[in-house]
């Protein structure tokens, strides 16, 4: 269990509790830091097409994981039909939505990234019958990110370039309801300040649907069990609601059990440190073990995990565990440690 979640279950909604729930950085190691950037061919004339890349990179001194939320806002005269992910390997999940007017894109990325590793999506855009002008803005937000200074990037179409403002820290002062069924689906309104471009977490789970303005977020609870903290995560940081959310009744139906079909390599040194790709099904959000030992730097998409082997000896099964269970051991998942 993560320390923040444990704190939420054992403390009341007080200033001390809020301090416990806030993410902290280790004194000796720089914390996770995600930076966002823009680059590409922007349409600058009427009735023209273009595309640009939104990149986000781990530039800190530690891995980051969990939900990463991205937004792209286009000025009047530009619209998009969506984005394409070009990053491999596919050890992540990615979803996106586009507003009805085509001027706002929101994307959710779920995967672990080691320092120096980045991802990017390419956004297709077109201009209207008038000459486009104004600012294209992209943001990134992740609960584990400890540096908001590089979480906004911008490009001015047909105008001078100016650095984007550093987003202000969010604050949540109210939550409309604190209970809901374990199956999810409860509408929850969070009020506060600096909440724009945010997303909402119930414990470690992303809200099924979120709409945020600067002063409020309306979110739909995902399925869950027990009592969990509720957080709004924005490019400016993370803010926790003054009280937790309690699930009542049975939780959601578990997902299908994971299955491992093959490994990219089946052997490596006893010291560990071998990068192994695990292929299978229903692997999203999974953890990987070599025998009984947890792998390092694990990131899992629906059918693909990347993991670094721990130190070990002999022949072991590589398994993936999710909320749906643990993959059954077969001959296809055997990994042998070599002297």
């Amino acid at each position: 269990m993560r320390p923040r979640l444990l704190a939420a279950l054992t403390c009341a909604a007080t200033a001390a509790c809020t301090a416990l729930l806030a993410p902290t950085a280790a004194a000796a190691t720089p914390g996770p830091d995600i930076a966002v950037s823009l680059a590409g061919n922007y349409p600058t004339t009427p009735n023209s097409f273009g595309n640009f890349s939104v990149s986000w990179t781990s530039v800190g001194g530690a891995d980051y994981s969990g939900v990463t939320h991205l937004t792209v806002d286009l000025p009047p005269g530009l619209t998009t039909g969506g984005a394409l992910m070009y990053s491999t390997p596919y050890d992540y999940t990615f979803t996106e939505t586009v507003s009805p007017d085509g001027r706002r894109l929101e994307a959710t990325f779920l995967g672990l990234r080691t320092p120096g590793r980045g991802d990017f999506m390419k956004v297709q855009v077109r201009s209207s019958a008038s000459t486009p002008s104004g600012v294209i803005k992209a943001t990134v937000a992740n609960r584990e990110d400890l540096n908001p200074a590089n979480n906004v990037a911008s490009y001015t179409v047909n105008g001078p370039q100016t650095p984007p403002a550093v987003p202000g820290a969010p604050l949540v002062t109210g939550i409309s309801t604190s209970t809901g069924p374990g199956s999810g689906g409860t509408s929850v309104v969070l009020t506060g300040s600096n909440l724009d471009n945010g997303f909402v977490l119930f414990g470690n789970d992303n809200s099924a649907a979120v709409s945020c303005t600067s002063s409020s977020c309306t979110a739909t609870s995902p399925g869950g069990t027990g009592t969990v903290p509720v957080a709004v995560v924005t490019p400016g940081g993370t803010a926790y609601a003054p009280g937790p959310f309690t699930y009542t009744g049975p939780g959601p139906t578990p997902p299908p059990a994971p299955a491992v079909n093959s490994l990219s390599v089946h052997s490596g040194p006893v010291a560990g440190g071998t990068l192994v790709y695990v292929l299978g099904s229903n692997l999203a959000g999974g953890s990987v073990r070599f025998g009984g030992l947890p792998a390092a730097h694990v990131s899992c998409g629906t059918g693909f995990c990347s993991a670094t082997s721990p130190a070990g000896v002999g022949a072991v099964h590589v398994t993936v565990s999710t909320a749906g269970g643990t993959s059954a051991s077969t001959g296809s998942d055997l990994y042998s440690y070599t002297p």
Side-chain angles (χ1 to χ4, degrees), residues 24 88 93 110 160 177 215 219 221 323 331:
T24 57
T88 57
T93 57
L110 182 59
T177 183
S215 59
S221 65

Side-chain angles (χ1 to χ4, degrees), residues 312-338:
V313 294
V316 298
H317 291 281
V318 177
T319 58
V320 177
S321 297
T322 70
T326 299
S327 60
S329 298
T330 68
S332 299
D333 62 30
L334 278 173
Y335 181 88
S336 297
Y337 285 98
T338 57

Side-chain angles (χ1 to χ4, degrees), residues 4 22-32 61-62 144 146:
R4 288 192 294 272
T24 57
T29 303
E144 298 177 357
L146 298 180

Side-chain angles (χ1 to χ4, degrees), residues 147-262:
N147 177 22
N150 50 21
N151 288 351
V152 181
S154 65
Y155 178 84
T156 303
V157 181
N158 289 322
Q161 305 303 315
T162 57
V166 176
L171 175 68
V172 178
T173 56
I175 181 170
S176 63
T177 183
S178 58
T179 61
S183 57
T186 300
S187 180
V188 178
V189 179
L190 300 149
T191 52
S193 57
N194 294 327
L195 305 182
D196 43 322
N197 296 317
F199 68 101
V200 177
L201 291 174
F202 288 73
N204 295 322
D205 297 322
N206 194 24
S207 171
V210 178
S211 176
C212 288
T213 67
S214 62
S215 59
S216 69
C217 289
T218 301
T220 301
S221 65
T225 58
T227 298
V228 297
V230 180
V232 178
V233 185
T234 76
T238 299
Y240 286 85
F245 184 87
T246 299
Y247 289 104
T248 59
T253 302
V260 174
N261 298 332
S262 63

Side-chain angles (χ1 to χ4, degrees), residues 245-322:
F245 184 87
T246 299
Y247 289 104
T248 59
T253 302
V260 174
N261 298 332
S262 63
L263 307 177
S264 61
V265 294
H266 288 269
S267 63
V270 295
T274 300
L275 176 62
V276 179
Y277 295 143
V278 182
L279 283 72
S281 57
N282 305 317
L283 306 180
S287 60
V288 178
R289 286 182 173 270
F290 285 66
L293 301 175
H297 310 302
V298 176
S299 187
C300 289
T302 301
F304 194 106
C305 293
S306 60
T308 300
S309 65
V313 294
V316 298
H317 291 281
V318 177
T319 58
V320 177
S321 297
T322 70

Side-chain angles (χ1 to χ4, degrees), residues 42-171:
Y42 306 94
T44 57
T45 58
N47 298 313
S48 59
F49 293 85
N51 61 75
F52 59 89
S53 295
V54 179
S55 303
W56 57 103
T57 306
S58 175
V59 295
D63 295 351
Y64 78 82
S65 61
V67 178
T68 298
H69 182 248
L70 301 126
T71 69
V72 177
D73 285 292
L74 302 175
L78 290 182
T79 58
T80 181
L84 295 174
M85 279 290 294
Y86 282 88
S87 299
T88 57
Y90 300 107
D91 56 349
Y92 57 84
T93 57
F94 178 82
T95 58
E96 60 162 331
T97 59
V98 178
S99 63
D101 65 1
R103 290 182 50 204
R104 180 174 173 86
L105 181 148
E106 294 192 53
T108 299
F109 174 92
L110 182 59
L112 178 141
R113 288 299 177 258
T114 56
R117 183 171 175 182
D119 296 274
F120 74 98
M121 61 181 178
K122 184 165 287 189
V123 182
Q124 309 291 329
V125 288
R126 66 169 298 170
S127 61
S128 63
S130 59
T131 300
S133 64
V135 177
I136 297 173
K137 184 173 78 171
T139 72
V140 66
N142 182 290
R143 181 172 59 182
E144 298 177 357
D145 185 11
L146 298 180
N147 177 22
N150 50 21
N151 288 351
V152 181
S154 65
Y155 178 84
T156 303
V157 181
N158 289 322
Q161 305 303 315
T162 57
V166 176
L171 175 68

